[in-house]
Amino acid sequence: MRGSQETARGSGGLERLRIEMLGPVSVHRGTTLLDIGPVRRQAVLVALALRGSRPVSYEQLLDDVWGTRPPDSGHRVLPSYVFALRKALDPQDAGPKASAIRGGGGGYRFVLDNLDLDTVELEEHTQAARRAKDAGDLATATERFAAALALFRGEPLAGLPGPFAQGERQLLTERRGALQTGRLECLVRLGRAGDTLDELAALTAADPFNEPLLGLRMRALYAVERQGEALKAFAAMRGRLADELGVDPGKQLQRVHEAVLRRDDAVLLGDAPARPARARRVVNDLPGSVGSINGRTHELDLLTTPAPSDTVSLTTVDGTAGVGKTTLVLQAARQLRTDYPDGCLHADLRAHSEEQQSLTPQRVLRRFLRSLGEPNSESLSDLGELTAAWRTATSSLRLLLVLDDVASARQAAPLLPAGPGSRVLITSRRRLVELDADLRITVEPLEAGGAVSLLRHMVGEERADTEPEAMRELARLCDGLPLALRIVGARLQSRPTWTPAFLVERMTGEEHRLAELSAGERSVEAAFRLSYDQLPQLLQRGFRVLALAPTTEVDMLASAAMLGCSPSEAEDVLEGLVDVSLLQQPGPGRYRFHDLVRAHARRLAQATPEEHPPARTALFRLYLDAGRLASDWGPSGFPTGPQPAGTPFSDWQHAERWLDAAGAELPDVVARAAAQGEADYACWIAEALTDYFLRRGFYHECAATFETALACVDKATDRRMIPALRSGRGMIDFYQGRLTEGHAWFTRALELSRQTNEPREEARALTGLGAVAFSLGRGEDAMPQLTAALNLAEEQGDNWLTGMSLNLLGSVHHYQGRIEAALDCLGLAYTHAETSGRPNLLSQALFGIGDVHLSQGRHREAYGMFRRALDLVVQSAHTFQQALLLTRLGTAQETTDLDKALSLHHEALGLHERLDPLKEPQYHRLEMDIRCRLGQTYATAGLFNEGREQFLAALAISGAETHIFEYARAEAGLAACRTT
């Protein structure tokens, strides 16, 4: 008693004050309870006491106690509150200077001498508990946690108003919860989990979103052999979080869940006694061999690469029907099975079975649990219960699991085992993007070599090698699809009198090909049909309509046109078909069918002929709009046919990039239009693509397009096309240097345009004839033709044709020495080119003006023109024009910097080497031009030997004598070097 009496007294024998805040606020001096007045006065006391000896301003105290609504009397209220507190707390006659609350500096502070706070005692117990827990002294930690919790007498700071009290009340309540959790965790780790369950159940019910608390309860339930209840508690929390907050459980709680599934005593129990290991039953129900593997070495290597041992490894294998997914995965499983000591399980979920229904996860889980010797699985019906039982049963096992023909991620997810080091191989026609797979493999049809190898294996090498070409054609007709190859092989096996060539003949044509790819119950078309039948109607329509495209590949814009929807909606359809392996994606934004899948889709489309005309017309209109927008001719260059309106292309460059993506397939669009009786669209599209093809150097594609269009032009309702296509054909020959043939086409176009009274086409034909005459060195013939063409073009308001006529007239004037007339024409050509703003038109005019200045020795002016032209040409990545301008820049640079001039010529030669001589008809002419200019620059520099080498090289070029201007320059340059 004496010791406790001394403790209650401070220095000088004064009894100590004790303020308790872990419940309703109370103040004692010794054993005497002091009356400190109403709750606001208590709030002022708490605001001072909890800040220790730090001064608190009047403004801060007012905010702490009254918040945003202070009393009208303001600072006069606080002194009255403090006076009453001093009277209650201080000894009689203590005075302000000896008071527990001292004033000054516009505020107050609390003096801690002779004062005890239960919050300080709480902190001491808490720190001691944590130190003991960290040191592994769980018994001491439990005692100190309990001592800290005993200080609470209810809700901290109960009933006190004001923001400060509210904030401190929340912090102290959270501190109490953490202390409870700490004490309960120590009990679980001490092996006393049973003592915690009631308290944990009450706490988690009161705080249903407290994940750490639920994690501790799950550990306690696990410790008393109630794993199922622990898993259900997790599932309930996951549902609450999803429904109420739209989130998943945090990583810490997920780790506890996974540990329960794995029966991980070390994570869940820590220092508590470990649970006994369960007996294991080894199973192996992989099916037998289902066929040989050919051409799948890479995929097989990926599937059999060692997987991590600390987690469940998941691999998905997707691909179209009949591509060999099951054969591949089972082969991999047979190679891997010895690495999984607890066995191999297999389930065919029959997502695409004609005869049997798809298996539910419940049925599969019951079978798997029976295979593992779990006796109570049949009594479970709820999917959640079965999943929990399955994960509990597999938590300590290393299994290899093969799930074949899975319909969806939802079907597969409950079947995943829990044991670290287990491996799951899944096959599906869908791309199961919802599953967190470690590896995704898309199985494509076999390459030619692997396809032929599979056929040879089935047919027999001796029989196959007698007709190697026919075997390769069979592989191509099967599109490398293993199912189709096996059917073909089976047909040849069962019909020894058939030769591979005979079967090739029977499979010619889409209809016959699909009919032949059927043997017994195996059918390529039936396999595809099962995939199609499971699609929603929107994707079924997309599958049918997109197969009508004339090109191998489609994109969002083409698909949107055919489907009559927005590009984003079309992308959803395309990606949906990719996800079910009915469509390939060879590159970003590009989509294509396998040949056999396309054939099947077109057969399905035959049943809905009403879908064809709108899809076909919309697609042809898209190509027409793209060609006309990308053409330098401009709107006035196409006076008939639909004009671009409501087009998805933002500008001519967008349209040009879109055509670039179609590339070599553009002639197929015209061919399909002609074949489907759309003669007008065939002719319009061919004309619209002319300028694009010629600028790109796609002469073969351009010629093929015109051959198709010319064959059906007489069926077109637009009679302008009759002369227009002849002029277009003449332009192709002109660009390729076949001037005689070009002259014939332009002559015929001129005759027809006059017969049909088409002045625009008359102007185009005259322009072509003038260009041919000038190229043959007959400027006197070209002048009247080009003048007449110019007059007609101006009358028609055709800026492009006017500009081209002026450009050619300027060149003729220049050639004939009329410099001012040449500059006038070329300047007007540039003005017309500015109306369209196309870099190609502008650069041609600048090029001509630069050439005139160069011939007159005005190198500085020429350099400026060529530089501007080159900047424009670079935008269109036209290698030929860049080389042409670089070498002229070199000539223009001769008078100021010979080294720079030589460098520009050599740069031009480097670009020339990047051209394909088989595709660029002006290849040799360009080289002659560059070498003549390079030779001249060498001569100007006094390097006559080097100059002679360049002139000789120019003259030695194949067909040099046919290039009149360049040949003459080379001879003149060589003669000048020899006489020097």
Side-chain angles (χ1 to χ4, degrees):
M1 288 296 294
R2 180 181 178 182
S4 61
Q5 290 174 355
E6 290 177 350
T7 303
R9 294 178 181 275
S11 59
L14 183 66
E15 289 186 306
R16 294 177 66 83
L17 279 173
R18 177 176 175 81
I19 302 177
E20 296 178 340
M21 292 174 277
L22 299 176
V25 174
S26 64
V27 182
H28 293 78
R29 180 175 294 282
T31 58
T32 304
L33 176 65
L34 305 181
D35 181 10
I36 54 175
V39 290
R40 287 206 185 274
R41 192 184 302 165
Q42 296 176 33
V44 172
L45 173 64
V46 167
L48 291 169
L50 285 179
R51 286 195 172 95
S53 59
R54 298 194 308 274
V56 186
S57 68
Y58 298 147
E59 289 78 7
Q60 184 64 62
L61 279 172
L62 287 169
D63 288 343
D64 288 348
V65 178
W66 283 273
T68 58
R69 304 178 68 178
D72 295 337
S73 51
H75 293 177
R76 293 193 300 275
V77 171
L78 288 175
S80 66
Y81 277 45
V82 171
F83 175 80
L85 288 171
R86 285 171 171 168
K87 186 176 180 180
L89 301 175
D90 297 341
Q92 290 184 350
D93 303 324
K97 293 184 179 180
S99 174
I101 302 175
R102 309 285 171 88
Y108 300 98
R109 66 183 179 88
F110 210 91
V111 178
L112 300 181
D113 297 342
N114 296 329
L115 174 67
D116 294 325
L117 296 174
D118 60 351
T119 54
V120 173
E121 190 176 349
L122 175 72
E123 181 64 21
E124 291 172 353
H125 284 307
T126 300
Q127 293 302 324
R130 289 173 177 168
R131 287 193 297 270
K133 182 182 177 186
D134 292 341
D137 186 356
L138 299 177
T140 300
T142 301
E143 292 175 3
R144 298 307 292 266
F145 278 129
L149 288 167
L151 295 171
F152 285 89
R153 298 172 291 105
E155 181 185 37
L157 306 175
L160 260 61
F164 182 81
Q166 176 63 30
E168 291 298 319
R169 183 160 45 246
Q170 182 175 348
L171 290 174
L172 290 168
T173 300
E174 292 172 357
R175 174 80 66 85
R176 183 180 191 179
L179 291 167
Q180 288 175 305
T181 302
R183 171 179 164 274
L184 294 169
E185 183 179 6
C186 288
L187 289 174
V188 171
R189 292 175 60 184
L190 286 168
R192 296 169 55 192
D195 298 338
T196 69
L197 291 177
D198 291 342
E199 189 173 352
L200 281 170
L203 289 172
T204 53
D207 191 359
F209 294 102
N210 189 323
E211 294 187 33
L213 199 60
L214 179 66
L216 182 58
R217 183 174 176 232
M218 290 173 65
R219 291 167 56 191
L221 289 167
Y222 173 84
V224 296
E225 297 290 336
R226 291 161 65 178
Q227 296 96 323
E229 195 173 340
L231 294 172
K232 285 183 178 180
F234 175 82
M237 170 65 87
R238 181 166 56 192
R240 283 194 301 275
L241 291 172
D243 294 341
E244 306 265 344
L245 305 178
V247 299
D248 293 326
K251 291 184 178 179
Q252 182 178 355
L253 186 59
Q254 289 186 39
R255 281 195 290 269
V256 173
H257 176 243
E258 291 166 2
V260 172
L261 291 171
R262 294 195 306 266
R263 296 176 177 266
D264 193 333
D265 292 349
V267 170
L268 298 168
L269 304 180
D271 303 314
R275 292 153 50 105
R278 299 184 59 194
R280 296 177 177 175
R281 178 184 174 188
V282 178
V283 295
N284 185 358
D285 62 1
L286 290 177
S289 177
V290 292
S292 61
I293 291 289
N294 295 84
R296 300 294 191 202
T297 303
H298 175 66
E299 293 88 344
L300 201 56
D301 287 344
L302 289 175
L303 285 168
T304 55
T305 298
S309 60
D310 59 346
T311 186
V312 176
S313 172
L314 173 59
T315 299
T316 64
V317 179
D318 61 76
T320 192
V323 82
K325 303 180 292 294
T326 298
T327 302
L328 172 65
V329 166
L330 289 179
Q331 178 67 24
R334 283 190 287 273
Q335 293 186 22
L336 291 168
R337 61 187 176 189
T338 56
D339 298 333
Y340 295 89
D342 297 306
C344 308
L345 294 172
H346 169 269
D348 179 359
L349 276 76
R350 306 198 296 247
H352 301 91
S353 173
E354 286 187 284
E355 300 175 352
Q356 296 174 298
Q357 288 186 339
S358 176
L359 293 182
T360 64
Q362 290 94 321
R363 286 186 61 185
V364 178
L365 284 172
R366 288 194 194 95
R367 182 165 69 78
F368 281 173
L369 287 167
R370 284 198 305 271
S371 297
L372 295 182
E374 295 290 331
N376 299 322
S377 60
E378 294 300 326
S379 63
L380 302 176
S381 57
D382 179 72
L383 179 59
E385 294 177 343
L386 281 164
T387 302
W390 165 244
R391 291 180 178 169
T392 299
T394 59
S395 61
S396 60
L397 305 181
R398 286 186 61 207
L399 292 169
L400 175 62
L401 181 62
V402 177
L403 303 176
D404 192 21
D405 198 15
V406 170
S408 65
R410 180 177 296 179
Q411 187 185 34
L415 308 181
L416 303 183
S422 291
R423 192 168 194 158
V424 183
L425 306 178
I426 295 178
T427 74
S428 177
R429 296 186 191 181
R430 293 180 175 272
R431 295 186 174 179
L432 306 176
V433 294
E434 301 89 346
L435 293 178
D436 294 326
D438 302 288
L439 176 64
R440 300 182 189 276
I441 298 175
T442 296
V443 182
E444 300 290 355
L446 292 168
E447 298 290 339
V452 172
S453 177
L454 178 57
L455 277 178
R456 290 178 76 243
H457 173 77
M458 295 188 69
V459 175
E461 295 182 4
E462 182 177 351
R463 184 181 178 190
D465 293 345
T466 59
E467 293 183 296
E469 288 298 326
M471 292 294 290
R472 283 191 286 271
E473 181 62 12
L474 281 176
R476 187 193 69 78
L477 289 170
C478 291
D479 199 22
L481 196 71
L483 174 60
L485 292 165
R486 293 186 186 281
I487 290 173
V488 164
R491 288 175 72 78
L492 288 174
Q493 285 174 338
S494 62
R495 291 168 175 80
T497 60
W498 283 17
T499 64
F502 176 72
L503 187 52
V504 166
E505 185 178 350
R506 290 177 63 93
M507 292 178 65
T508 301
E510 285 187 353
E511 292 290 326
H512 296 133
R513 180 159 38 155
L514 287 173
E516 291 297 323
L517 293 177
S518 176
E521 296 181 356
R522 304 173 81 183
S523 167
V524 168
E525 193 160 21
F528 292 155
R529 185 64 190 241
L530 286 170
S531 293
Y532 171 82
D533 287 343
Q534 294 185 10
L535 296 176
Q537 288 187 358
L538 180 64
L539 293 188
Q540 286 186 344
R541 176 175 176 266
F543 183 66
R544 296 190 304 268
V545 170
L546 295 177
L548 302 174
T551 55
T552 303
E553 294 184 4
V554 293
D555 70 342
M556 285 185 293
L557 296 186
S559 301
M562 296 185 75
L563 296 172
C565 63
S566 69
S568 61
E569 291 170 328
E571 185 180 26
D572 289 341
V573 173
L574 291 163
E575 290 293 331
L577 292 173
V578 169
D579 286 342
V580 296
S581 300
L582 286 175
L583 204 61
Q584 292 177 294
Q585 193 171 25
R590 305 295 298 176
Y591 303 86
R592 63 172 294 164
F593 285 97
H594 291 295
D595 287 350
L596 292 175
V597 176
R598 180 194 294 273
H600 173 61
R602 286 180 174 170
R603 289 187 67 166
L604 290 172
Q606 291 174 4
T608 54
E610 69 280 0
E611 294 176 341
H612 299 195
R616 182 173 63 224
T617 301
L619 183 63
F620 291 151
R621 177 65 186 274
L622 183 69
Y623 278 99
L624 178 61
D625 288 353
R628 290 185 168 184
L629 284 170
S631 173
D632 278 351
W633 299 2
S636 64
F638 305 96
T640 58
Q643 292 297 315
T647 172
F649 304 110
S650 56
D651 53 28
W652 68 269
Q653 292 167 309
H654 183 194
E656 191 171 75
R657 290 193 300 272
W658 188 77
L659 292 172
D660 287 341
E665 291 195 297
L666 289 172
D668 296 335
V669 178
V670 176
R672 180 58 66 87
Q676 294 178 336
E678 298 281 359
D680 281 307
Y681 271 108
C683 297
W684 288 333
I685 296 171
E687 180 194 36
L689 292 173
T690 305
D691 180 63
Y692 167 80
F693 276 142
L694 295 180
R695 280 189 288 109
R696 285 288 193 266
F698 297 158
Y699 305 116
H700 174 76
E701 291 83 351
C702 195
T705 298
F706 269 83
E707 182 178 350
T708 301
L710 282 166
C712 68
V713 69
D714 292 334
K715 300 176 183 177
T717 60
D718 185 354
R719 308 314 291 167
R720 183 183 67 83
M721 289 293 99
I722 295 175
L725 292 183
R726 267 78 178 182
S727 284
R729 191 64 185 82
M731 291 175 66
I732 300 171
D733 284 326
F734 175 77
Y735 270 78
Q736 291 184 289
R738 296 196 294 267
L739 301 180
T740 302
E741 293 86 343
H743 184 273
W745 282 110
F746 287 129
T747 300
R748 182 58 179 153
L750 181 62
E751 294 170 355
L752 291 169
S753 63
R754 287 171 174 170
Q755 290 174 13
T756 56
N757 191 27
E758 292 287 350
R760 178 208 171 273
E761 298 310 320
E762 183 180 351
R764 185 174 294 280
L766 285 167
T767 302
L769 288 169
V772 170
F774 178 58
S775 297
L776 291 170
R778 297 199 301 267
E780 66 283 358
D781 295 335
M783 185 63 69
Q785 293 168 329
L786 292 172
T787 302
L790 175 61
N791 293 331
L792 286 167
E794 288 179 332
E795 289 175 6
Q796 299 301 311
D798 190 326
N799 275 312
W800 182 86
L801 194 51
T802 300
M804 287 300 298
S805 301
L806 286 166
N807 259 326
L808 287 165
L809 274 171
S811 298
V812 174
H813 283 306
H814 181 205
Y815 175 67
Q816 295 179 340
R818 293 185 291 274
I819 302 304
E820 293 305 317
L823 288 175
D824 286 345
C825 287
L826 292 167
L828 285 171
Y830 183 82
T831 300
H832 280 279
E834 281 186 310
T835 62
S836 70
R838 301 291 177 88
N840 187 56
L841 280 174
L842 292 166
S843 65
Q844 285 186 44
L846 291 168
F847 181 90
I849 296 169
D851 251 2
V852 174
H853 284 309
L854 194 62
S855 69
Q856 300 304 300
R858 297 193 287 265
H859 289 75
R860 183 173 181 179
E861 291 86 345
Y863 185 89
M865 294 293 125
F866 293 143
R867 183 75 259 175
R868 288 172 61 191
L870 181 62
D871 291 341
L872 290 167
V873 168
V874 167
Q875 295 179 28
S876 57
H878 199 307
T879 303
F880 182 93
Q881 292 292 337
Q882 288 181 51
L884 203 62
L885 283 162
L886 280 170
T887 194
R888 275 165 169 71
L889 279 171
T891 301
Q893 193 83 354
E894 281 183 9
T895 59
T896 55
D897 189 339
L898 281 168
D899 288 339
K900 178 63 174 176
L902 290 170
S903 175
L904 286 166
H905 290 312
H906 281 291
E907 187 178 351
L909 274 178
L911 281 178
H912 171 266
E913 291 175 359
R914 287 163 49 184
L915 298 170
D916 186 346
L918 299 177
K919 294 182 179 179
E920 179 48 67
Q922 302 299 323
Y923 180 85
H924 296 307
R925 184 176 183 178
L926 175 62
E927 184 180 359
M928 289 184 72
D929 182 61
I930 297 172
R931 292 196 182 279
C932 285
R933 293 180 183 280
L934 178 56
Q936 182 59 51
T937 304
Y938 275 131
T940 302
L943 302 171
F944 298 107
N945 288 333
E946 289 83 349
R948 277 194 295 272
E949 289 179 5
Q950 293 302 322
F951 289 125
L952 286 170
L955 292 170
I957 290 172
S958 175
E961 64 280 357
T962 63
H963 305 300
I964 302 170
F965 301 116
E966 290 76 14
Y967 193 83
R969 287 180 58 205
E971 283 192 320
L974 182 61
C977 286
R978 283 174 175 167
T979 59
T980 303

